Amino acid sequence: MTANATRVLVLNSGSSSLKYQLLDMAQTRRLAVGLVERIGEETSRLVHTPLATGGERRVHEGPMADHDAALKALAAELAADGLGLDSPQLAAIGHRVVHGGLKFTAPTVIDEAVLKEIERLVPVAPLHNPANITGIRTAQALRPDLPQIAVFDTAFHTTMPEHAARYAIDVATADAHRIRRYGFHGTSHAYVSRRTAQLLGKDPSEVNVIVLHLGNGASASAVAGGRCVDTSMGLTPLEGLVMGTRSGDIDPAVTFHLRRVAGMSTDEIDELLNKRSGLVGLCGDNDMREIRRRIDEGDEAAALAFDIYVHRLKKYLGAYTAVLGRVDAVAFTAGVGENAAPVRAAAMAGLEGLGMAVDADRNAVRSNEPRLISPEGSPVAVAVVPTDEELEIAQQTYALVTA
Ligand SMILES: Nc1ncnc2c1ncn2[C@@H]1O[C@H](COP(=O)(O)OP(=O)(O)O)[C@@H](O)[C@H]1O
Ligand SMILES: CC(=O)OP(=O)(O)O
Ligand SMILES: [Mg+2]
């Protein structure tokens, strides 16, 4: 690595999207950011913003078959800005990897053995790990000489105590198949809980925070003094909160019933619970903006979907208050948490008994900065803290390659 290799490319591959950022770590500056959406569909779309050159945002529409095609397309965009992947200034590529099992508790240099382990975990992250693997393989082919670093969603949760991580099922079966709560979105929960402590002017070790990461996938975590003590996602990213297309918590016997009585196959049930449930299953839309618009027009299915979503949030707020004993702050983050003021207001409504409340004027403020939305003097600080998984991944990646 040359001395002026201070850039990191971060790839955050979702099931059908690929978010990316190129950063210069010498000044912690974003050079380019972008997103490829609807990968695998006819209507794929790439939005690229070249911040370094101050150029216009560029949008390309047209089919992109897979993450390999998406990565090649974004590489071409970067090259057009003179920021190509062939640059000697590129120090490493950092990859978000969703499932790392118990093995990976820290950022890891990717080699064949690491890739094999990520592959082994595909059955427990079927929407995510395959996309992560394609991203890694394509990036390796484009720059075989460069360190590729995996930053795992599961890593932050590996501090959970056994009584939170274990399911109450037969121990021998659980151990034989490594069935336990792993938790996901850990990079976001770690970043946001730290930023929340900062917002309060405290050290992370001094505060207990409930983080609500509400994106398309959604999860809650209880963070005590900077360490995760419980989280809502489990063996897979299906458990917990109501999500865009995933059910979150259900009675596991629902799946037996769907097999025995409804005659569905295991794959059909998997698809139902992961892709046709949650908000989309309840009302046909998974985008909170659209749901709010429909509620304003008097749509009952949208209103019920919203109420179910919020009810689940309240349950986790209550549960994690009990788990933590003392809550200093609740932090809302990700697409819904950062932007949907009505979700925040509804989730907090009636929780005065837990010391939680939202000030309507503060809640209505739109900003990209971390901010308090609870009333002055509230026992629990309620905050909106924008997540930045890409920055966190870039920092962890750069720290590893410059260590
Ligand atoms: N202005 C907004 N108001 C309400 N909800 C929003 C807004 N912007 C985004 N969202 C919600 O955020 C979701 C995407 O969140 P995001 O964190 O980007 O998800 P992911 O990383 O899982 O793709 C959208 O599906 C939508 O429901
Ligand atoms: C783990 C997970 O659910 O991730 P995402 O929200 O990106 O789908
Ligand atoms: Mg996300």
Side-chain angles (χ1 to χ4, degrees):
M1 201 168 84
T2 54
N4 69 344
T6 55
R7 293 180 185 167
V8 172
L9 176 67
V10 176
L11 300 177
N12 178 349
S13 304
S15 52
S16 66
S17 70
L18 173 51
K19 294 181 185 170
Y20 62 94
Q21 287 192 8
L22 180 69
L23 298 99
D24 188 336
M25 301 314 290
Q27 306 136 24
T28 323
R29 191 164 71 98
R30 277 171 236 273
L31 304 174
V33 304
L35 164 71
V36 189
E37 293 173 291
R38 297 192 288 272
I39 297 170
E41 294 176 38
E42 289 298 307
T43 57
S44 312
R45 190 172 116 103
L46 184 153
V47 182
H48 177 82
T49 310
L51 301 169
T53 60
E56 288 283 304
R57 200 174 82 125
R58 302 197 289 272
V59 180
H60 296 283
E61 288 175 341
M64 273 182 246
D66 50 27
H67 283 75
D68 178 72
L71 182 44
K72 285 180 177 147
L74 78 84
E77 290 304 317
L78 288 170
D81 298 324
L83 300 168
L85 265 64
D86 55 354
S87 165
Q89 280 169 270
L90 197 58
I93 302 180
H95 299 264
R96 175 188 181 211
V97 178
V98 163
H99 213 314
L102 281 185
K103 205 167 189 162
F104 301 114
T105 58
T108 303
V109 179
I110 300 168
D111 58 17
E112 271 309 305
V114 172
L115 258 173
K116 241 189 156 140
E117 182 64 13
I118 299 170
E119 218 143 53
R120 192 186 66 75
L121 293 162
V122 163
V124 280
L127 301 185
H128 297 92
N129 273 29
N132 302 155
I133 292 164
T134 309
I136 292 167
R137 291 228 181 263
T138 305
Q140 281 179 330
L142 291 171
R143 278 301 299 270
D145 57 313
L146 216 57
Q148 312 270 337
I149 310 299
V151 177
F152 296 93
D153 261 38
T154 39
F156 181 61
H157 302 301
T158 53
T159 56
M160 270 187 295
E162 282 296 285
H163 59 252
R166 284 229 173 232
Y167 294 114
I169 62 174
D170 172 67
V171 170
T173 307
D175 286 351
H177 300 283
R178 299 183 240 214
I179 294 169
R180 60 188 283 119
R181 176 180 312 288
Y182 292 92
F184 302 91
H185 295 136
T187 304
S188 177
H189 287 289
Y191 175 85
V192 170
S193 56
R194 253 194 354 258
R195 282 302 268 123
T196 305
Q198 239 176 49
L199 181 66
L200 301 183
K202 300 246 169 80
D203 191 81
S205 65
E206 301 170 317
V207 295
N208 291 349
V209 187
I210 299 175
V211 179
L212 300 174
H213 175 107
L214 312 178
N216 241 318
S219 65
S221 69
V223 183
R227 290 166 70 87
C228 177
V229 294
D230 205 351
T231 193
S232 60
M233 283 179 166
L235 171 72
T236 79
L238 180 55
E239 195 181 348
L241 301 176
V242 176
M243 312 185 206
T245 66
R246 296 173 231 162
S247 62
D249 296 335
I250 55 165
D251 179 346
V254 169
T255 60
F256 316 149
H257 191 80
L258 289 171
R259 274 215 71 143
R260 294 180 186 136
V261 180
M264 291 173 73
S265 70
T266 304
D267 285 346
E268 284 168 346
I269 298 168
D270 190 328
E271 198 258 345
L272 172 78
L273 297 180
N274 273 301
K275 298 191 174 162
R276 289 191 291 125
S277 296
L279 293 171
V280 85
L282 289 166
C283 73
D285 271 308
N286 63 344
D287 193 308
M288 194 52 83
R289 283 164 287 203
E290 190 56 21
I291 290 171
R292 290 303 311 173
R293 197 191 57 72
R294 284 174 55 188
I295 293 172
D296 289 342
E297 288 175 353
D299 186 306
E300 284 179 19
L304 181 58
F306 183 86
D307 289 348
I308 294 170
Y309 185 94
V310 165
H311 181 70
R312 190 76 53 83
L313 282 175
K314 281 182 194 282
K315 288 215 253 186
Y316 274 92
L317 284 166
Y320 288 173
T321 298
V323 165
L324 289 168
R326 185 201 81 228
V327 181
D328 299 298
V330 174
F332 285 90
T333 196
V336 175
E338 291 167 28
N339 298 298
V343 169
R344 299 191 298 255
M348 288 290 153
L351 299 191
E352 294 79 10
L354 300 181
M356 295 171 192
V358 157
D359 175 272
D361 291 336
R362 288 181 171 186
N363 193 31
V365 172
R366 294 186 88 39
S367 155
N368 293 323
E369 293 300 314
R371 58 200 183 274
L372 287 175
I373 57 169
S374 43
E376 199 63 48
S378 185
V380 176
V382 182
V384 179
V385 180
T387 192
D388 200 337
E389 288 165 292
E390 285 78 15
L391 176 64
E392 179 78 14
I393 291 168
Q395 283 173 338
Q396 294 191 18
T397 297
Y398 195 61
L400 188 60
V401 295
T402 52

